[in-house]
Structures are given as structure tokens and as C-alpha cells.
């Protein structure tokens, strides 16, 4: 029987293959820190994710649906694999993928011959000669790991961020990178005064301090991360959000056109703050109050002008308050 290796993306998968690992190497291609997730069978979340990812990234939905069906079918056929290895990093992107996989394994009751390799560095930054050095960190998956994955996935799928906030305060160190990742994820919720999540705040502040090129702004923003998790396309779509909301905070992006390659817009743009953007940057206006939101934070729908927020100074959730 063959082995099944699950990892965070194509770069890591290619490196593992180049390093001599055989069997089925399956990259988990999903940006779970964006858009909705749902509890229940993995197929239910895949259906929800296909619709979101196709709309958000302007990808034909049938392309994503085929990929997810093939991925989920491999997972359902886990008994065909003698050994399963989970290769994932320390950042939010990977930790959410790991939680989803652990939740699936809990559903099907698979712990036999399942190993976890938790990397404290980026797998994609390795070489074929160095990536296998993380094998020394491998350990067997236990029922406790599966229970933790299932509990965390259910919390993420909840209709409010309260369960995630509770876990972010009370998790043990069995999965050492999960607690800081959940805390970082909470920081993407709108702040009480400005209505901006952490990445949006860094975008507005970066432009205010003179960084006007989107790619350079992205590079400067991820350098501020303790464990960078966001890719450039997710970042660029945040720029679009801030430029196309009811009361735009930034200007300088050409409009996007359906069915066209819009990457050139981000290479050519010279960004600047609008007057509203300057007011929000100075904490004199609130982005959510100005424009409202229509965004999913996993299972939480941030809709309208009365939404969940997160105070990054105190580390506390702020519940919606009716106007």
C-alpha cells in the first residue's frame, strides 16, 4: 500500500517529491482565512468554498469544483494508504488547513499510521536537500489531536467568533502553533475605532507613510508578520475592497474587468489615500460605519455596520451593538 502525504501547496509538494518522497503527495490548495467555512462533512465545506473562491479570485467554478472533488475523494479513500503524513508550517494559512484535515480524520476515526510534521519555518523556502530535515519533528497523531481538530473546526464554523476567541485563550501546547495562529486570525476582525483589520490597518498606514506601489506594500506588510500567511493575491483583493467600498479609503487602482487578466492593474497602480482614508488612518472615522461590510470570517458573516470586532490592544472581542 502507498503513502499519502498532505501538505500546504504545490511548492512544498514538489520539494518533497524532489527529495525522494513517493506515494501520493496532495497539496491542500485553499486559503481558509478568506471566506466562509461550514461544519459537517468535508464535501459540504468544499461546496461553499468553490462558490466563494470562484467569485473572489475570478476562477471558473468548475475548475475549483473538479479539484476539490478529486481532493475529497482521495481523503475518503484514506484506507487505501498504509501511512498518512501531514506536513504543515507554523503560520495561519497552514494551521487552518491542518485543523480541517484533523477534523476530517476525526470524522472517519483514522489515527493508525498517521504522522504530523510541524515545521517552524516555511516549507516552500526549503530546498530538496533541506526539506526532509523536518522529519525529525514527526510524531504520531493521537485521538486528542483529532478531538482538538474537530473542536477547533467547529469553532471556526460557528456563527460568531466567540468560540475561536475562547480557544485562542485556552488551548494547550499539543499543537504549538495553533494558539498564536488563532490569535492572529482574530486580529483580522475590524478594530473598535477604525473598523480596519490588522492587514487593512497596515495597508492604510503604509500608504500614509509613502508606499504607493502595491507589490512593495505587500512586501512591507508581510515583513511585519510574526509568521507570514497571506499571499499576494489575497492581499491585492484587500486593496480592491478598500478601493471599491461605498466610501473608498484608497485611490489609484484601475477598475477590474470580468474575464480579463487584471494583474497589470496592481503592477501599474500608484496608490494614495482618499480624504476618508486619511480620516480613518487618523482614527477620526470608522471604515465599517462609513461603508459597512459584507465579508465572511470563516463561519461569521460580517454584514452591515453592526459587526463583531476585535480590540488588538486588549486582546478582547467586542460584540455588535445595535445602533
Amino acid at each position: 500500500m502507498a503513502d499519502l502525504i498532505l501538505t500546504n501547496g504545490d511548492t512544498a509538494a514538489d520539494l518533497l517529491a524532489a527529495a525522494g518522497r513517493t506515494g501520493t503527495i496532495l497539496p491542500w490548495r485553499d486559503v481558509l482565512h478568506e471566506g466562509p467555512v461550514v461544519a459537517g462533512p468535508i464535501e459540504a465545506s468544499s461546496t461553499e468554498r468553490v462558490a466563494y473562491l470562484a467569485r473572489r479570485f475570478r476562477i471558473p467554478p468548475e475548475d475549483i469544483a473538479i479539484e476539490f472533488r478529486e481532493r475529497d475523494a482521495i481523503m475518503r479513500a484514506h484506507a487505501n494508504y498504509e501511512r498518512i503524513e501531514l506536513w504543515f508550517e507554523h503560520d495561519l494559512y497552514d494551521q487552518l488547513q491542518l485543523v480541517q484535515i484533523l477534523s476530517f480524520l476525526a470524522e472517519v476515526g483514522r489515527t493508525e499510521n498517521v504522522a504530523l510534521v510541524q515545521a517552524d519555518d516555511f516549507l516552500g523556502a526549503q530546498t530538496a536537500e533541506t526539506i526532509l530535515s523536518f522529519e525529525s519533528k514527526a510524531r504520531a497523531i493521537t485521538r486528542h489531536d483529532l478531538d482538538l481538530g474537530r473542536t477547533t473546526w467547529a469553532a471556526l464554523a460557528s456563527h460568531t467568533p466567540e468560540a475561536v476567541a475562547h480557544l485562542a485563550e485556552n488551548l494547550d501546547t499539543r499543537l504549538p502553533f495553533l494558539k498564536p495562529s488563532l490569535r492572529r486570525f482574530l486580529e483580522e476582525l475590524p478594530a473598535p475605532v477604525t473598523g480596519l483589520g490588522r492587514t487593512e490597518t497596515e495597508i492604510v498606514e503604509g500608504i500614509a507613510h509613502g508606499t504607493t506601489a502595491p507589490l512593495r506594500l505587500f512586501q512591507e506588510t508581510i515583513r511585519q508578520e510574526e509568521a507570514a500567511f497571506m499571499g499576494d493575491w489575497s492581499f491585492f483583493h484587500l486593496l480592491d475592497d478598500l478601493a471599491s467600498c461605498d466610501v473608498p479609503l484608497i485611490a489609484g487602482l484601475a477598475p477590474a474587468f470580468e474575464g480579463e487578466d487584471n494583474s497589470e492593474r496592481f503592477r501599474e497602480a500608484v496608490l494614495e489615500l482618499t480624504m476618508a482614508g486619511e480620516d480613518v488612518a487618523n482614527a477620526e472615522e470608522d471604515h465599517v460605519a462609513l461603508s459597512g461590510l459584507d465579508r465572511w470570517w470563516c463561519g461569521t458573516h460580517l454584514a452591515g455596520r453592526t459587526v463583531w470586532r476585535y480590540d488588538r490592544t486588549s486582546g478582547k472581542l467586542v460584540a455588535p451593538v445595535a445602533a
Side-chain angles (χ1 to χ4, degrees):
M1 295 174 70
D3 291 344
L4 173 62
I5 299 176
L6 307 175
T7 191
N8 64 359
D10 293 275
T11 301
D14 291 344
L15 286 169
L16 286 166
R21 299 307 307 270
T22 58
T24 299
I25 304 178
L26 179 63
W28 206 262
R29 303 185 187 101
D30 199 356
V31 285
L32 293 166
H33 57 82
E34 280 200 59
V37 304
V38 296
I42 193 171
E43 293 84 358
S45 200
S46 292
T47 298
E48 195 78 20
R49 298 292 300 163
V50 165
Y52 171 80
L53 294 169
R55 184 173 61 253
R56 181 66 164 169
F57 294 101
R58 298 186 177 92
I59 302 171
E62 59 272 17
D63 292 353
I64 308 172
I66 290 170
E67 181 177 317
F68 279 17
R69 279 197 300 270
E70 292 174 347
R71 180 197 73 181
D72 296 348
I74 290 173
M75 297 299 290
R76 288 292 175 194
H78 68 91
N80 294 336
Y81 298 96
E82 182 175 11
R83 178 176 171 82
I84 300 175
E85 294 181 8
L86 315 179
W87 284 68
F88 289 93
E89 299 162 5
H90 57 314
D91 61 85
L92 172 63
Y93 177 89
D94 279 44
Q95 292 299 299
L96 296 184
Q97 293 180 341
L98 174 60
V99 163
Q100 185 179 23
I101 292 166
L102 292 175
S103 181
F104 171 84
L105 294 174
E107 175 200 335
V108 299
R110 173 73 185 258
T111 56
E112 184 179 1
N113 290 330
V114 182
L116 172 62
V117 179
Q118 286 258 67
D120 56 1
D121 197 0
F122 297 104
L123 295 173
Q126 305 305 310
T127 66
E129 290 71 36
T130 63
I131 193 167
L132 294 185
S133 65
F134 293 109
E135 280 190 308
S136 63
K137 301 177 183 293
R139 68 166 178 83
I141 286 290
T142 68
R143 171 54 61 178
H144 177 73
D145 296 312
L146 301 194
D147 290 343
L148 184 54
R150 177 163 49 193
T151 298
T152 305
W153 186 254
L156 290 163
S158 297
H159 297 315
T160 80
E162 294 168 286
V164 174
H166 176 77
L167 286 174
E169 291 299 320
N170 296 286
L171 280 174
D172 60 30
T173 58
R174 179 74 181 174
L175 297 175
F177 306 121
L178 182 54
K179 186 172 183 176
S181 292
L182 293 180
R183 286 180 172 174
R184 177 63 188 86
F185 194 29
L186 288 163
E187 293 179 344
E188 287 301 289
L189 289 168
V193 175
T194 65
L196 298 177
R198 175 171 158 180
T199 304
E200 292 171 322
T201 298
E202 290 166 355
I203 286 171
V204 169
E205 290 180 349
I207 297 172
H209 288 102
T211 302
T212 60
L215 181 57
R216 183 172 178 184
L217 185 61
F218 167 68
Q219 293 166 340
E220 291 181 356
T221 299
I222 63 169
R223 277 199 293 268
Q224 298 179 59
E225 294 285 350
E226 296 82 4
F229 65 92
M230 186 176 291
D232 54 356
W233 274 110
S234 292
F235 182 85
F236 291 157
H237 280 89
L238 284 180
L239 297 181
D240 267 332
D241 292 343
L242 295 174
S244 62
C245 51
D246 289 350
V247 182
L249 303 190
I250 66 176
L253 270 178
F257 295 100
E258 198 68 33
E260 295 185 13
D261 179 7
N262 287 283
S263 58
E264 195 68 27
R265 301 165 54 234
F266 299 105
R267 287 192 288 270
E268 296 178 348
V270 179
L271 304 176
E272 60 180 353
L273 295 183
T274 63
M275 291 181 64
E278 292 175 358
D279 289 341
V280 172
N282 293 325
E284 296 169 356
E285 287 284 2
D286 184 298
H287 171 53
V288 175
L290 289 172
S291 293
L293 290 179
D294 184 7
R295 178 190 307 166
W296 287 91
W297 186 89
C298 277
T300 301
H301 190 197
L302 304 172
R305 290 171 168 79
T306 305
V307 300
W308 284 93
R309 299 179 183 235
Y310 184 74
D311 188 329
R312 297 194 293 273
T313 301
S314 67
K316 301 295 182 184
L317 279 176
V318 180
V321 178

